[in-house]
Amino acid sequence: GDKAFAQFLTDEIKEEKKIQKHKSLPKVSGGWELEVQGTEARLVRKIAGEKITVTFNINNSIPPSDDDDTQEEQKPDEQEPELTSTPNFVVEVIKDDTKQTLVLDCHYPEDEIGHEGEEESDIFTIREVSFQPTGESDWKDTNYTLNTDSLDWALYDHLMDFLADRGVDNTFADELIELSTALEHQEYIKFLEDLKSFVKCQ
């Protein structure tokens, strides 16, 4: 059984490498520096007096595919829809002269992806906003967290503009999907290779 499993994995790895779009990770425009630790990635950008950090994790970032008839309608010519990784991401804005970090928790709403025609709509939304003490890795539940569900739309728009001014806009969000998808695929291939070595190990 293990032999057949290892053989299957070998074939699978070959196939995945064939369809791998990026041999190296795609860059995000706008002077972002990328740091990757396993499945977590961090993009850092410094602008006058501020440091902006965007963190995301590729685990569970691929939305479940609908096996309904929606798939057939969309792309009759392709057998398998392309898997896209749309991770939640957290934007932290640190101003040099304050002890606080503004934290914005963003995500890609499932129904927004792939809707063309609505040029104006944002492909990501802000879910929560809070202040956290700068330099502390653990966020405190005692800090007030603003949920955007019931938010005044004008305030929400200002928050989105605030992000856009710092380079977190639709273009960035698109490139983040591209980066995350490439990273996810790279990790998946690595996982298959590790699994193969593990299965073969006597």
PDB file of all heavy atoms in Angstrom, residues 46 66 104 112 145 170 172:
ATOM      1  N   LYS A  46       7.659  51.002   4.826  1.00  0.00           N
ATOM      2  CA  LYS A  46       7.848  52.177   5.681  1.00  0.00           C
ATOM      3  C   LYS A  46       7.595  53.428   4.849  1.00  0.00           C
ATOM      4  O   LYS A  46       8.126  53.568   3.757  1.00  0.00           O
ATOM      5  CB  LYS A  46       9.260  52.197   6.248  1.00  0.00           C
ATOM      6  CG  LYS A  46       9.510  51.074   7.245  1.00  0.00           C
ATOM      7  CD  LYS A  46      10.857  51.257   7.951  1.00  0.00           C
ATOM      8  CE  LYS A  46      11.012  50.285   9.109  1.00  0.00           C
ATOM      9  NZ  LYS A  46      11.498  48.972   8.699  1.00  0.00           N
ATOM     10  N   ASP A  66     -17.627  25.122  -4.639  1.00  0.00           N
ATOM     11  CA  ASP A  66     -19.013  24.654  -4.701  1.00  0.00           C
ATOM     12  C   ASP A  66     -19.077  23.552  -5.739  1.00  0.00           C
ATOM     13  O   ASP A  66     -18.694  23.752  -6.880  1.00  0.00           O
ATOM     14  CB  ASP A  66     -19.934  25.792  -5.148  1.00  0.00           C
ATOM     15  CG  ASP A  66     -19.764  26.999  -4.249  1.00  0.00           C
ATOM     16  OD1 ASP A  66     -19.546  26.786  -3.052  1.00  0.00           O
ATOM     17  OD2 ASP A  66     -19.835  28.141  -4.756  1.00  0.00           O
ATOM     18  N   LEU A 104      -6.124  46.745  11.673  1.00  0.00           N
ATOM     19  CA  LEU A 104      -7.332  46.559  10.858  1.00  0.00           C
ATOM     20  C   LEU A 104      -7.360  45.132  10.330  1.00  0.00           C
ATOM     21  O   LEU A 104      -6.426  44.685   9.666  1.00  0.00           O
ATOM     22  CB  LEU A 104      -7.344  47.551   9.686  1.00  0.00           C
ATOM     23  CG  LEU A 104      -7.292  49.025  10.114  1.00  0.00           C
ATOM     24  CD1 LEU A 104      -5.905  49.588   9.888  1.00  0.00           C
ATOM     25  CD2 LEU A 104      -8.317  49.849   9.362  1.00  0.00           C
ATOM     26  N   GLU A 112     -17.756  38.466  -3.328  1.00  0.00           N
ATOM     27  CA  GLU A 112     -17.190  39.550  -4.130  1.00  0.00           C
ATOM     28  C   GLU A 112     -16.207  39.044  -5.178  1.00  0.00           C
ATOM     29  O   GLU A 112     -16.007  39.664  -6.199  1.00  0.00           O
ATOM     30  CB  GLU A 112     -16.429  40.549  -3.230  1.00  0.00           C
ATOM     31  CG  GLU A 112     -17.335  41.397  -2.372  1.00  0.00           C
ATOM     32  CD  GLU A 112     -18.289  42.263  -3.189  1.00  0.00           C
ATOM     33  OE1 GLU A 112     -17.847  42.836  -4.199  1.00  0.00           O
ATOM     34  OE2 GLU A 112     -19.464  42.339  -2.823  1.00  0.00           O
ATOM     35  N   THR A 145     -12.673  46.746  20.483  1.00  0.00           N
ATOM     36  CA  THR A 145     -12.580  46.351  19.084  1.00  0.00           C
ATOM     37  C   THR A 145     -13.850  46.781  18.368  1.00  0.00           C
ATOM     38  O   THR A 145     -14.952  46.423  18.777  1.00  0.00           O
ATOM     39  CB  THR A 145     -12.400  44.822  18.957  1.00  0.00           C
ATOM     40  OG1 THR A 145     -11.190  44.469  19.613  1.00  0.00           O
ATOM     41  CG2 THR A 145     -12.307  44.401  17.507  1.00  0.00           C
ATOM     42  N   ASN A 170      -7.134  48.066  -3.825  1.00  0.00           N
ATOM     43  CA  ASN A 170      -7.528  46.908  -4.639  1.00  0.00           C
ATOM     44  C   ASN A 170      -6.358  46.268  -5.379  1.00  0.00           C
ATOM     45  O   ASN A 170      -6.274  45.051  -5.491  1.00  0.00           O
ATOM     46  CB  ASN A 170      -8.611  47.307  -5.639  1.00  0.00           C
ATOM     47  CG  ASN A 170      -9.992  47.238  -5.009  1.00  0.00           C
ATOM     48  OD1 ASN A 170     -10.160  46.726  -3.908  1.00  0.00           O
ATOM     49  ND2 ASN A 170     -10.987  47.759  -5.694  1.00  0.00           N
ATOM     50  N   PHE A 172      -3.249  46.258  -4.468  1.00  0.00           N
ATOM     51  CA  PHE A 172      -2.499  45.519  -3.454  1.00  0.00           C
ATOM     52  C   PHE A 172      -3.217  44.209  -3.126  1.00  0.00           C
ATOM     53  O   PHE A 172      -2.600  43.145  -3.063  1.00  0.00           O
ATOM     54  CB  PHE A 172      -2.362  46.370  -2.185  1.00  0.00           C
ATOM     55  CG  PHE A 172      -1.765  45.617  -1.024  1.00  0.00           C
ATOM     56  CD1 PHE A 172      -0.388  45.510  -0.884  1.00  0.00           C
ATOM     57  CD2 PHE A 172      -2.575  45.000  -0.081  1.00  0.00           C
ATOM     58  CE1 PHE A 172       0.171  44.802   0.178  1.00  0.00           C
ATOM     59  CE2 PHE A 172      -2.019  44.286   0.983  1.00  0.00           C
ATOM     60  CZ  PHE A 172      -0.652  44.198   1.104  1.00  0.00           C
TER      61      PHE A 172
END
